Amino acid sequence: MSAFNAIGEEREIDRDEFTPEIEPQATWCPGCGDFGVLKALKQAMPEVGRTPEETLLVTGIGCSGKLSSYFRSYGFHSIHGRSLPVARAAKLANPDLEVIAAGGDGDGYGIGGNHFMHTARENHDMTYIVFDNEIFGLTKGQTSPTSPKGHKSKTQPHGSAKQPIRPLSLALTSGASYVARTAAVNPNQAKEILAEAMEHDGFAHVDFLTQCPTWNKDAKQYVPYIDVQDSDDYDFDITDRGEASEMMQEAEDALYEGTVLTGRFYRDADRPSYQEEKQATGDMPEEPLAERYFDEDYEWERSYDLLERHK
Ligand SMILES: Cc1ncc(C[n+]2csc(CCOP(=O)(O)OP(=O)(O)O)c2C)c(N)n1
Ligand code: SF4
């Protein structure tokens, strides 16, 4: 897709635009799946037709959280588990931005689990990428919400007694209108899914399987994946909630038994996003907050009023 330059000429978008001019050396370990997410995201951007100036990437804390340093767009490296509230606020203030939130499974399904549920429920228009390496990576491999039952780590030396979270089912039952799973070992599918998620109007959740060769050598992310859309064995309608739910449960059971099922699992293109719902009720200002900054008088008046009132 193309964009327009400053003098209104049409131009092609190149994925290299999303590489910072002074590229920081990535601190990810050799072989880390996070490189796959970065590459797929850069490749997806030209398909979506958004420039770095039209894009905001909000990350949490963790190895995954460093994505915003290696991707050239507006970026916000927020705090652990809090990328979604920041992303929601930014999208409400400036609905024209392409907003992407990203973080690890510890960040998104553990510390930020509450925000995941409610952002999905409200169907905020954004893409949420969870780097799912089944452990807490940056802090050296502790058991996370997606670690399999029995997983041994320094925090669970005798093996985890907990059932892992089911991220796809959780997204669906919470209200996400687009749910997919892809893997760093499958860059072409990952690129397509990320582009589709960004084009979707509403909350698009992408559980992105990433390998952590340093702390989780047993993770299933290494085994070959099956694309549910390409396989004759998995025939279902992604717009049918019941069929999608059954398919997700099969995928979630299979993951811990050694079969990785990836692809699009659910899409509801008709459900209005939070922004659309609010506009319909008249509850959303016609002029987004981001544009009000251009009206200096308005801002000053408001600030002075506030100061007067709270003297
Ligand atoms: C509130 C809070 N709790 C704990 C930490 C410590 N901490 C920093 S990174 C991290 C692990 C992140 O794991 P995950 O979200 O799975 O991402 P990964 O590093 O695997 O990409 C933890 C526990 C923190 N920074 N803030
Ligand atoms: S610790 Fe694991 S998740 Fe973190 S950079 Fe290294 S390989 Fe990647």
Side-chain angles (χ1 to χ4, degrees), residues 34 61-64 80 104-107 111 131 133 135-139:
D34 296 7
I61 298 296
C63 300
S64 44
H80 208 18
D105 43 274
D107 187 88
I111 293 175
F131 294 54
N133 57 15
I135 43 114
F136 287 92
L138 190 71
T139 44

Side-chain angles (χ1 to χ4, degrees), residues 5-305:
N5 68 15
I7 53 165
E9 290 166 346
E10 201 161 3
R11 65 165 185 81
E12 289 299 306
I13 297 172
D14 192 293
R15 68 179 187 208
D16 290 341
E17 293 176 43
F18 295 88
T19 301
E21 271 168 42
I22 301 171
E23 197 177 0
Q25 193 176 1
T27 55
W28 291 327
C29 313
C32 175
D34 296 7
F35 288 106
V37 186
L38 176 62
K39 189 173 172 198
L41 188 59
K42 284 184 186 174
Q43 286 179 331
M45 295 315 295
E47 308 223 344
V48 180
R50 294 294 210 144
T51 61
E53 295 75 19
E54 294 167 327
T55 307
L56 169 71
L57 174 64
V58 185
T59 53
I61 298 296
C63 300
S64 44
K66 296 175 185 171
L67 184 75
S68 49
S69 307
Y70 311 138
F71 182 77
R72 182 174 164 262
S73 70
Y74 287 109
F76 194 116
H77 195 170
S78 68
I79 54 174
H80 208 18
R82 300 293 177 267
S83 63
L84 287 174
V86 173
R88 284 162 62 162
K91 184 71 186 181
L92 286 169
N94 188 356
D96 291 338
L97 272 181
E98 182 67 48
V99 174
I100 306 161
D105 43 274
D107 187 88
Y109 303 143
I111 293 175
N114 179 22
H115 299 295
F116 174 46
M117 215 165 68
H118 291 284
T119 312
R121 174 170 76 94
E122 293 169 15
N123 201 28
H124 286 267
D125 184 16
M126 63 177 68
T127 299
Y128 185 36
I129 307 170
V130 179
F131 294 54
D132 190 353
N133 57 15
E134 297 182 5
I135 43 114
F136 287 92
L138 190 71
T139 44
K140 303 190 176 178
Q142 296 89 348
T143 302
S144 90
T146 51
S147 304
K149 197 170 172 199
H151 175 82
K152 288 188 180 160
S153 70
K154 282 181 190 159
T155 46
Q156 308 276 326
H158 305 295
S160 168
K162 300 173 194 173
Q163 285 289 349
I165 245 171
R166 304 174 80 91
L168 308 175
S169 302
L170 186 60
L172 181 78
T173 52
S174 300
S177 49
Y178 180 93
V179 186
R181 168 175 272 166
T182 188
V185 291
N186 184 7
N188 289 338
Q189 184 205 50
K191 174 195 83 175
E192 279 169 28
I193 285 183
L194 290 182
E196 200 175 275
M198 282 186 264
E199 278 163 358
H200 176 77
D201 291 330
F203 186 71
H205 172 236
V206 181
D207 185 66
F208 204 122
L209 301 175
T210 52
Q211 66 275 15
C212 173
T214 305
W215 300 108
N216 197 13
K217 293 188 170 46
D218 299 332
K220 308 293 178 296
Q221 280 84 334
Y222 299 109
V223 308
Y225 67 90
I226 296 168
D227 186 328
V228 287
Q229 263 75 42
D230 286 353
S231 167
D232 294 338
D233 298 337
Y234 300 98
D235 180 28
F236 73 106
D237 176 3
I238 65 164
T239 65
D240 184 298
R241 209 180 164 80
E243 287 187 31
S245 169
E246 271 178 38
M247 193 62 237
M248 285 176 188
Q249 289 179 47
E250 192 170 335
E252 284 162 337
D253 287 337
L255 183 66
Y256 298 104
E257 286 154 17
T259 309
V260 180
L261 302 182
T262 61
R264 295 108 172 132
F265 287 85
Y266 183 63
R267 181 172 49 222
D268 179 354
D270 298 328
R271 189 175 159 208
S273 67
Y274 182 77
Q275 286 72 12
E276 286 165 340
E277 297 270 19
K278 293 292 266 183
Q279 270 154 2
T281 58
D283 203 12
M284 185 115 156
E286 273 177 34
E287 187 190 34
L289 199 61
E291 279 167 33
R292 286 194 211 155
Y293 278 99
F294 296 110
D295 183 351
E296 282 174 23
D297 293 340
Y298 174 87
E299 280 302 312
W300 282 115
E301 259 173 46
R302 239 182 117 229
S303 316
Y304 285 131
D305 284 354

